[in-house]
Amino acid sequence: MSAYTQRELMAIAAARQIRDGDIVFCGTGISMLAAMAAKHISAPQSVLFFETGAIDSVLEEIPMTVADSRVMFWTSVNGSLADAFATMQNRITGSHVIGILGAAQIDRFGNLNSTVIGDYHKPAVRFSGSGGASDVASFVSRTIIFMQHEKRKFVPKVDYITSPGWIDGPGGRGRTGLPEGGPFAVITNMGIMYFDERTKEMYLGGYYPGISPRRILDNMGFSVDISRAAEVTPPSDHELRILREVCDPQRLILGG
Amino acid sequence: MSAYTQRELMAIAAARQIRDGDIVFCGTGISMLAAMAAKHISAPQSVLFFETGAIDSVLEEIPMTVADSRVMFWTSVNGSLADAFATMQNRITGSHVIGILGAAQIDRFGNLNSTVIGDYHKPAVRFSGSGGASDVASFVSRTIIFMQHEKRKFVPKVDYITSPGWIDGPGGRGRTGLPEGGPFAVITNMGIMYFDERTKEMYLGGYYPGISPRRILDNMGFSVDISRAAEVTPPSDHELRILREVCDPQRLILGG
Amino acid sequence: MRIEKGRANKITNLAEAVNRYVFDGCHISIGGFTMVRNPMAAIYETIRQRIKNLHLYAHSNGQGVDELIGAGCVAKLEIAYGGNGRFASTCVRFRKAVEQGTLPVEDYTNYQMTLRFMAGAMGVPFLPTRSSLGTDIIDKWGFTEAMRKEDPKIPDQKLIVTDNPFNKSGTIPKVVLVPAINTDVAILHVQKADAQGTARIHGLTFSDVEQAKSARHVILTCEEIVSQDDLRADPDQNQIPFFYVDAVVPVPFGAYPTSCHRCYDYDPAYLNEYLKSAQDDTLFAAYLDKYVYGSRDHQAFLEQIGPDRINRLKADPRTGYAVGLDRR
Amino acid sequence: MRIEKGRANKITNLAEAVNRYVFDGCHISIGGFTMVRNPMAAIYETIRQRIKNLHLYAHSNGQGVDELIGAGCVAKLEIAYGGNGRFASTCVRFRKAVEQGTLPVEDYTNYQMTLRFMAGAMGVPFLPTRSSLGTDIIDKWGFTEAMRKEDPKIPDQKLIVTDNPFNKSGTIPKVVLVPAINTDVAILHVQKADAQGTARIHGLTFSDVEQAKSARHVILTCEEIVSQDDLRADPDQNQIPFFYVDAVVPVPFGAYPTSCHRCYDYDPAYLNEYLKSAQDDTLFAAYLDKYVYGSRDHQAFLEQIGPDRINRLKADPRTGYAVGLDRR
């Protein structure tokens, strides 16, 4: 089995979470790459869907933004932002959309911060803000989240809640008035976290080859249950070939 | 000067009310015919606009419905109902739209009934209902109304207010929360009524050749000021030729 | 939905599609406007299958609505306009049913009905407008409290007038909130669709797209099934993504006797004959027997009309309608 | 409007259009998304004319927003996403301005900003959504009470969470009401327009159409002026009616260095160089001097870039982008 980078492993791990037939909301970057890989590997029936209004894109090249001309090619319909978000808020279609997001901070309930570090009014660091992330996290049935495993990113309390997760646990979303659904998996550079059915708390579901659950805990600002964790199957040659040769030959997203 | 029918006179009288450059909302029938005539006679810059979403239609044949393929021809944009009504509710474009409506009953303040005669829950007669009429009467700056001059149609109180006029007089629209603007002229088979700037009450502005103001009052369920009335200039040969030969050669709207 | 509305080939026949998705008592809307692009083939099939107690939503669907009412399929109606252009200032069977007190009606405006479909499509409970403030559309409700209580699918209020909470400038003091419509099924007739259900409408779309997206199930009848590549070569021109659609049924002249832009015009002779029959119960029963119950399917119906009459309606390619058609 | 927005020939040059409709302190929005179809020529002209204190509204306009901020034209910003795709996970001049406390920002989501433009276009004070309930987008306001009081153009509340008054079924307990945006001017770049201002956008429209309809004045820059007949032969494909438009300016490559579907791709080399310059104030000042102030107009700017680089970006007719372009 060939060598692979962390980023390649993360993309494949996320791709494996996509079910055939899902309508996949893709953000820019690795989330798009994961969706593209899934489409070519395990979920050929899945629909690539972008907040910009592109529905069922045929990606002959990896887009560098969700507005890229590359997402407009051979779609079912090219619409508008209004159309795309309505499709996610729509009670029938929205329940079949899976969203893939990234963030700067995450808490145990999967609430995400992509806006600021520090005080919102005097931020130490300013990030891009929600974009469509908070919309997606509000509307759709399942979200997959990409994170780097670092203490400062897995925090007991995020500095700013940009995108809603399970809020404060069981019933939290209902109390705020949000639709059902919420975070499903967190894909990091060390492993995969899931959320407990009952408590809605994050737990370690899988660790990558060569990385111990202990080391993962050392890279988190809060502790999680590791009793259910198993080693993640490394990417197959087939998965890697698709990812490298079909999806991102220029390594625009995969990097060096 | 050639003979003309009442309907021809009504169409021309309405056409004369349209200013060059107006965006003209047309209903089905004589209102469409009036707008089409104005476009060919005195208001070549006017825009024919339909609630169905057709903007700036080129009418080579008279449509028999506002959804007719004939309104979709050579437009600036073919949109949807949502687009069309938003254009009227829009504060900038809406203030330049003039609406032409018909009704079964009208009161002194230009409130219109096109829904029922009698009790709404046990109607003696049921009509079509609002369609887009109440929307137009709510949104646009000026409306022109077609009526038959009969006692049962010009009534002190309409059985059902389908489309808002000046409500109960000065400030009436503001009190209900409606935008400014309202009924401007009423074109009947006997003359033309306007609304007093101050009182918002209907008054007789013009009577057709051979019809006395007195006779008009005899055909109304309430009395109006006739002191400002003057005889209406009959249709010119040119106006009649355009109406008959260009607009409605099959006399689909003009009738026999 | 992954099963029903996914990438499967959804092409089926009309009897099957109507039988599967249109049921007794269902909440339904139909596409088109007055005598334009109504899904008439599907409407006649619904009548033929004697499906009753429909809760029908329409803005201005003249011909389709009037035939469904006349055939006794409709139990409740929410509508803006019960007319049919120059062919009926008020639709006759609609008028009779309401005057006889056999058809409860809730009146809205065309924009309000459009916003209600749009709210359903957007997944929000209501949308605001300034339309009809100060009118009886606000004050008089056709559906009784009891009716609204017993049917969970109907909102408990017709509409709500509320103060504008952002009324800083004072320019918009009040708005009317109109409740979302979420139907069990929407039936649309379009010019082109592919086997998966991606659809392209030529000409005005009316509120067809919003209706499709606010429905649980969508039946598309189309003039022509085209290849997926035909539609995807220019997706800017497509309006309905396949995953909203359940059934695709090729029905040439499927909107006849109403028109279909770029394909054919409405048939004035038919609509005038309909208008005459509609005036009288006996004549109308005979009309239904002859044209609807008397036709096995839409093809047989068109054969009754005959090719000469149909051919006269064919659209001229430049204008999209039958130029010079005798419409008297 | 009959004068300004009527049927007049609205073709003018960019300096004139910007000078007439973009003024110090005006409320403005720009079309496009990240590095796609931003009206860059008009943005550079705005910088060149040294127009300041703009109140800028954007959902995700990366490149255009960051250049306006970097050039010191923006006093207040309402935005959903201050990034630029793969070229900047966070736009650098935006980040610096916010971290230095020199740019008040109000954060919304992309859908909320879209609904706000739509509300302005529809002439309603707000639209409802379920988005961002339970988040700090609801709880934390960037604009102070005082700021909101003193500027009559800003609503007195960022947004309002309210109970659903139609909550019969209990499925939607609450909604967020987002306030309408009504700008003084919207600037869009489109592929085709005619002299009156009817416009056709190819590919995704983002929220450009809503932005145009929510603005008092609209400047359209376009790749190509086409005849009225070219656009009217298929009006289904046009999105903006001429009477919303004030100025039409032909500017080939008017979106460069951002992309324009079916015409040309974004320029990775330029965007990477921009990103490097943006990191450092001195480098950024030099960047502006060289490319913006140092170019008489967009044509001169393109000449600086040179025809070889421009030609490499030309779109392939099948896909609408530059196939195989080196985007590293």
Side-chain angles (χ1 to χ4, degrees):
Chain A
M1 190 199 60
S2 33
Y4 49 83
T5 68
Q6 255 181 13
R7 248 176 124 61
E8 287 172 336
L9 177 52
M10 290 173 76
I12 294 301
R16 291 171 178 169
Q17 301 288 339
I18 295 167
R19 303 181 191 145
D20 204 12
D22 280 344
I23 301 172
V24 188
F25 167 93
C26 311
T28 302
I30 190 163
S31 103
M32 216 181 260
L33 187 59
M36 197 173 170
K39 180 105 184 135
H40 286 96
I41 298 167
S42 55
Q45 302 296 305
S46 60
V47 176
L48 301 191
F49 170 83
F50 298 88
E51 69 193 272
T52 47
I55 294 175
D56 201 28
S57 306
V58 173
L59 299 183
E60 293 189 349
E61 295 186 0
I62 185 90
M64 294 180 84
T65 162
V66 293
D68 200 305
S69 272
R70 288 154 186 82
V71 308
M72 305 180 196
F73 179 68
W74 229 252
T75 59
S76 171
V77 174
N78 279 340
S80 66
L81 270 70
D83 298 329
F85 288 112
T87 299
M88 291 188 268
Q89 195 173 224
N90 181 292
R91 277 175 276 184
I92 293 159
T93 44
S95 63
H96 298 279
V97 177
I98 173 171
I100 313 184
L101 308 170
Q105 288 183 325
I106 185 170
D107 69 18
R108 70 177 62 252
F109 295 115
N111 301 300
L112 303 178
N113 173 15
S114 54
T115 304
V116 292
I117 295 297
D119 174 8
Y120 177 66
H121 300 96
K122 294 191 172 33
V125 186
R126 170 72 207 205
F127 299 113
S128 64
S130 163
S134 188
D135 303 309
V136 175
S138 296
F139 298 150
V140 311
S141 62
R142 287 152 58 227
T143 53
I144 296 173
I145 301 151
F146 278 107
M147 293 295 300
Q148 286 295 313
H149 238 128
E150 298 172 31
K151 265 196 159 55
R152 63 195 182 103
K153 296 191 171 195
F154 284 74
V155 294
K157 186 176 186 312
V158 297
D159 293 5
Y160 181 103
I161 300 181
T162 308
S163 304
W166 296 110
I167 308 294
D168 55 0
R173 287 179 67 96
R175 282 187 295 276
T176 64
L178 285 168
E180 290 174 4
F184 170 72
V186 183
I187 312 289
T188 82
N189 53 320
M190 295 186 168
I192 305 174
M193 330 285 290
Y194 297 110
F195 294 86
D196 184 85
E197 279 297 323
R198 199 175 43 72
T199 66
K200 303 302 183 188
E201 284 191 48
M202 193 186 290
Y203 68 89
L204 183 64
Y207 46 88
Y208 298 152
I211 293 170
S212 69
R214 164 57 38 206
R215 183 164 149 221
I216 292 175
L217 288 181
D218 292 345
N219 282 278
M220 295 179 69
F222 55 88
S223 88
V224 298
D225 171 28
I226 61 171
S227 67
R228 286 170 272 184
E231 182 168 285
V232 174
T233 316
S236 71
D237 293 351
H238 174 64
E239 288 172 320
L240 288 170
R241 211 192 73 258
I242 296 291
L243 190 65
R244 294 166 178 170
E245 295 169 23
V246 177
C247 300
D248 189 14
Q250 285 188 29
R251 301 193 73 83
L252 297 170
I253 312 297
L254 289 172
Chain B
M1 193 199 57
S2 36
Y4 50 84
T5 68
Q6 255 180 12
R7 250 177 121 62
E8 287 172 335
L9 177 53
M10 289 173 75
I12 294 301
R16 291 171 178 169
Q17 301 288 341
I18 294 168
R19 303 181 191 145
D20 203 13
D22 280 344
I23 301 171
V24 188
F25 168 93
C26 311
T28 301
I30 189 163
S31 102
M32 217 181 263
L33 187 59
M36 198 172 169
K39 180 108 184 132
H40 285 96
I41 298 167
S42 55
Q45 302 296 305
S46 60
V47 176
L48 302 190
F49 170 82
F50 298 88
E51 69 193 274
T52 47
I55 293 176
D56 201 28
S57 306
V58 174
L59 300 183
E60 293 188 349
E61 294 186 0
I62 186 89
M64 293 180 84
T65 162
V66 294
D68 200 305
S69 273
R70 288 155 186 81
V71 308
M72 304 180 196
F73 179 68
W74 227 253
T75 57
S76 172
V77 173
N78 278 340
S80 65
L81 270 70
D83 298 329
F85 287 112
T87 299
M88 291 188 269
Q89 195 173 224
N90 180 292
R91 277 174 275 185
I92 293 159
T93 44
S95 63
H96 298 279
V97 177
I98 173 170
I100 313 183
L101 308 170
Q105 288 183 326
I106 186 170
D107 69 19
R108 68 177 64 250
F109 294 115
N111 301 301
L112 304 178
N113 173 15
S114 53
T115 304
V116 292
I117 296 297
D119 174 8
Y120 178 66
H121 299 96
K122 292 190 173 34
V125 186
R126 169 74 207 204
F127 299 113
S128 63
S130 163
S134 188
D135 303 308
V136 176
S138 297
F139 298 150
V140 311
S141 62
R142 288 152 57 228
T143 53
I144 295 173
I145 301 150
F146 278 107
M147 293 294 301
Q148 287 294 313
H149 238 128
E150 298 173 30
K151 265 198 159 55
R152 64 193 181 103
K153 297 193 170 191
F154 284 74
V155 293
K157 187 176 186 311
V158 297
D159 293 7
Y160 181 104
I161 300 181
T162 308
S163 304
W166 296 110
I167 309 293
D168 56 2
R173 286 179 68 95
R175 281 188 294 277
T176 64
L178 285 168
E180 291 175 2
F184 170 73
V186 184
I187 312 290
T188 82
N189 53 320
M190 296 188 169
I192 303 173
M193 330 286 289
Y194 297 110
F195 294 86
D196 184 85
E197 280 296 322
R198 200 176 42 74
T199 66
K200 303 300 182 188
E201 285 192 46
M202 194 185 291
Y203 68 90
L204 183 65
Y207 46 88
Y208 297 152
I211 293 171
S212 68
R214 162 58 39 208
R215 179 159 154 226
I216 291 174
L217 287 180
D218 291 345
N219 283 277
M220 296 178 69
F222 54 87
S223 88
V224 297
D225 170 26
I226 60 171
S227 67
R228 286 169 271 184
E231 183 168 284
V232 173
T233 316
S236 70
D237 292 351
H238 174 65
E239 288 172 319
L240 288 170
R241 212 192 74 261
I242 295 292
L243 190 64
R244 293 165 178 171
E245 295 169 25
V246 177
C247 300
D248 189 14
Q250 283 189 29
R251 300 194 73 83
L252 297 170
I253 310 299
L254 289 171
Chain C
M1 186 176 90
R2 272 189 293 277
I3 299 98
E4 283 176 40
K5 301 204 182 198
R7 296 184 184 280
N9 179 327
K10 295 165 186 165
I11 297 174
T12 179
N13 67 67
L14 196 49
E16 170 58 30
V18 168
N19 180 267
R20 177 155 183 204
Y21 296 110
V22 186
F23 55 89
D24 196 280
C26 76
H27 285 230
I28 184 171
S29 81
I30 58 176
F33 195 105
T34 56
M35 64 271 195
V36 177
R37 217 164 37 71
N38 282 216
M40 295 308 298
I43 286 161
Y44 291 135
E45 180 59 28
T46 300
I47 296 172
R48 230 178 265 120
Q49 292 190 19
R50 303 189 189 268
I51 299 167
K52 306 294 183 196
N53 302 311
L54 299 177
H55 187 118
L56 179 59
Y57 301 84
H59 40 77
S60 294
N61 298 80
Q63 192 64 20
V65 165
D66 204 51
E67 300 222 27
L68 284 168
I69 292 169
C73 303
V74 182
K76 298 194 187 82
L77 179 65
E78 305 194 37
I79 195 167
Y81 174 76
N84 203 27
R86 287 301 291 165
F87 291 99
S89 57
T90 305
C91 292
V92 179
R93 303 310 301 186
F94 160 77
R95 199 195 70 228
K96 284 180 185 287
V98 180
E99 289 174 3
Q100 286 159 11
T102 58
L103 179 62
V105 179
E106 198 64 273
D107 277 281
Y108 289 92
T109 70
N110 268 346
Y111 190 40
Q112 289 170 343
M113 288 304 290
T114 301
L115 289 172
R116 295 185 65 200
F117 287 122
M118 198 187 296
M122 291 167 69
V124 291
F126 61 83
L127 283 172
T129 175
R130 305 179 71 183
S131 177
S132 82
L133 285 161
T135 72
D136 285 322
I137 291 169
I138 305 278
D139 296 337
K140 295 187 175 160
W141 295 15
F143 292 176
T144 63
E145 294 273 325
M147 275 171 64
R148 292 187 169 276
K149 274 209 172 51
E150 88 200 0
D151 187 341
K153 289 178 183 167
I154 314 179
D156 45 14
Q157 298 177 80
K158 177 186 181 181
L159 41 68
I160 295 171
V161 176
T162 181
D163 290 339
N164 168 15
F166 292 98
N167 190 29
K168 179 187 190 178
S169 54
T171 51
I172 305 183
K174 292 178 188 173
V175 291
V176 183
L177 307 180
V178 292
I181 292 171
N182 291 282
T183 54
D184 297 304
V185 61
I187 309 181
L188 310 178
H189 183 72
V190 303
Q191 286 89 346
K192 297 191 177 97
D194 67 21
Q196 279 184 354
T198 294
R200 178 176 300 178
I201 296 170
H202 291 298
L204 299 169
T205 56
F206 308 127
S207 72
D208 286 18
V209 179
E210 293 86 349
Q211 285 182 47
K213 295 179 177 181
S214 61
R216 178 158 301 281
H217 298 293
V218 174
I219 300 174
L220 285 184
T221 62
C222 59
E223 287 299 314
E224 187 187 7
I225 300 276
V226 296
S227 76
Q228 189 172 307
D229 287 355
D230 283 349
L231 293 182
R232 293 192 175 221
D234 191 0
D236 300 8
Q237 293 195 60
N238 307 334
Q239 297 93 350
I240 303 175
F242 65 89
F243 54 64
Y244 283 99
V245 175
D246 297 88
V248 179
V249 187
V251 190
F253 287 88
Y256 178 89
T258 70
S259 66
C260 187
H261 187 57
R262 291 197 196 173
C263 299
Y264 46 89
D265 224 320
Y266 41 83
D267 184 356
Y270 189 99
L271 296 172
N272 284 324
E273 182 184 348
Y274 175 89
L275 185 61
K276 203 172 316 101
S277 313
Q279 313 287 343
D280 174 274
D281 293 358
T282 319
L283 285 177
F284 191 72
Y287 160 83
L288 287 176
D289 286 337
K290 179 172 192 289
Y291 289 111
V292 185
Y293 300 121
S295 304
R296 184 180 66 267
D297 56 20
H298 203 64
Q299 185 49 43
F301 169 63
L302 295 171
E303 280 156 15
Q304 277 201 63
I305 304 303
D308 299 356
R309 234 168 96 183
I310 299 287
N311 287 330
R312 278 198 293 277
L313 304 176
K314 289 232 169 100
D316 149 64
R318 185 183 69 94
T319 57
Y321 56 86
V323 173
L325 176 69
D326 183 346
R327 294 181 289 149
R328 283 166 297 195
Chain D
M1 187 177 87
R2 271 189 293 275
I3 297 98
E4 283 175 39
K5 301 203 182 200
R7 295 184 185 280
N9 178 328
K10 295 166 186 164
I11 297 175
T12 179
N13 66 66
L14 196 48
E16 170 58 33
V18 168
N19 180 267
R20 176 155 184 204
Y21 297 110
V22 185
F23 54 89
D24 196 280
C26 76
H27 286 231
I28 184 172
S29 81
I30 58 176
F33 195 105
T34 56
M35 65 270 194
V36 178
R37 218 164 38 68
N38 282 217
M40 295 308 297
I43 285 161
Y44 290 136
E45 180 59 27
T46 301
I47 296 172
R48 230 178 265 120
Q49 292 189 18
R50 295 192 150 75
I51 299 167
K52 307 293 182 196
N53 302 311
L54 298 178
H55 188 117
L56 179 60
Y57 301 85
H59 40 76
S60 293
N61 298 80
Q63 192 64 22
V65 165
D66 204 51
E67 300 222 28
L68 284 169
I69 293 169
C73 304
V74 182
K76 298 193 187 83
L77 179 66
E78 305 195 37
I79 195 167
Y81 175 76
N84 203 28
R86 287 301 292 165
F87 291 99
S89 57
T90 304
C91 291
V92 179
R93 302 311 301 185
F94 159 76
R95 199 194 70 229
K96 284 179 185 289
V98 179
E99 290 174 3
Q100 287 159 11
T102 57
L103 179 63
V105 179
E106 198 64 274
D107 277 281
Y108 290 91
T109 70
N110 269 346
Y111 190 40
Q112 288 170 343
M113 289 303 291
T114 301
L115 289 172
R116 295 185 65 200
F117 287 121
M118 198 187 297
M122 291 167 68
V124 291
F126 61 84
L127 284 172
T129 175
R130 304 179 72 182
S131 177
S132 82
L133 285 162
T135 72
D136 286 322
I137 290 169
I138 305 277
D139 296 338
K140 296 189 174 157
W141 294 14
F143 291 176
T144 62
E145 293 273 323
M147 275 171 64
R148 292 188 169 277
K149 275 207 172 55
E150 88 200 2
D151 187 341
K153 290 179 183 167
I154 314 178
D156 45 14
Q157 298 177 82
K158 177 185 181 182
L159 41 69
I160 295 171
V161 176
T162 181
D163 291 339
N164 168 14
F166 293 98
N167 189 30
K168 179 187 190 178
S169 55
T171 51
I172 305 183
K174 291 178 187 173
V175 291
V176 183
L177 307 181
V178 292
I181 291 170
N182 291 282
T183 54
D184 298 305
V185 60
I187 309 180
L188 310 179
H189 184 72
V190 304
Q191 286 89 346
K192 297 191 177 100
D194 67 21
Q196 278 184 353
T198 294
R200 179 176 299 179
I201 296 169
H202 290 297
L204 299 169
T205 56
F206 309 127
S207 72
D208 286 17
V209 179
E210 294 85 350
Q211 285 182 46
K213 295 180 177 181
S214 61
R216 178 159 301 281
H217 298 293
V218 174
I219 300 174
L220 284 185
T221 61
C222 60
E223 286 300 314
E224 187 187 7
I225 300 277
V226 296
S227 76
Q228 189 171 307
D229 287 355
D230 282 349
L231 293 182
R232 293 191 175 224
D234 191 359
D236 300 8
Q237 293 196 58
N238 307 334
Q239 297 94 352
I240 303 176
F242 65 88
F243 54 66
Y244 282 99
V245 175
D246 298 87
V248 180
V249 186
V251 189
F253 287 89
Y256 178 88
T258 70
S259 66
C260 188
H261 187 56
R262 292 197 194 173
C263 299
Y264 47 90
D265 223 319
Y266 42 82
D267 184 356
Y270 190 99
L271 296 172
N272 285 324
E273 182 184 347
Y274 176 89
L275 186 61
K276 200 166 328 96
S277 313
Q279 312 288 343
D280 175 275
D281 292 357
T282 320
L283 285 177
F284 191 72
Y287 160 84
L288 288 177
D289 286 337
K290 179 171 194 291
Y291 289 112
V292 185
Y293 300 121
S295 304
R296 186 181 62 267
D297 57 21
H298 203 64
Q299 184 51 42
F301 169 63
L302 295 172
E303 280 156 17
Q304 278 202 62
I305 304 303
D308 299 356
R309 235 168 96 183
I310 299 287
N311 287 329
R312 277 197 294 277
L313 304 176
K314 289 231 168 99
D316 148 67
R318 184 184 70 96
T319 57
Y321 56 85
V323 173
L325 176 68
D326 184 344
R327 293 182 289 148
R328 284 167 296 194

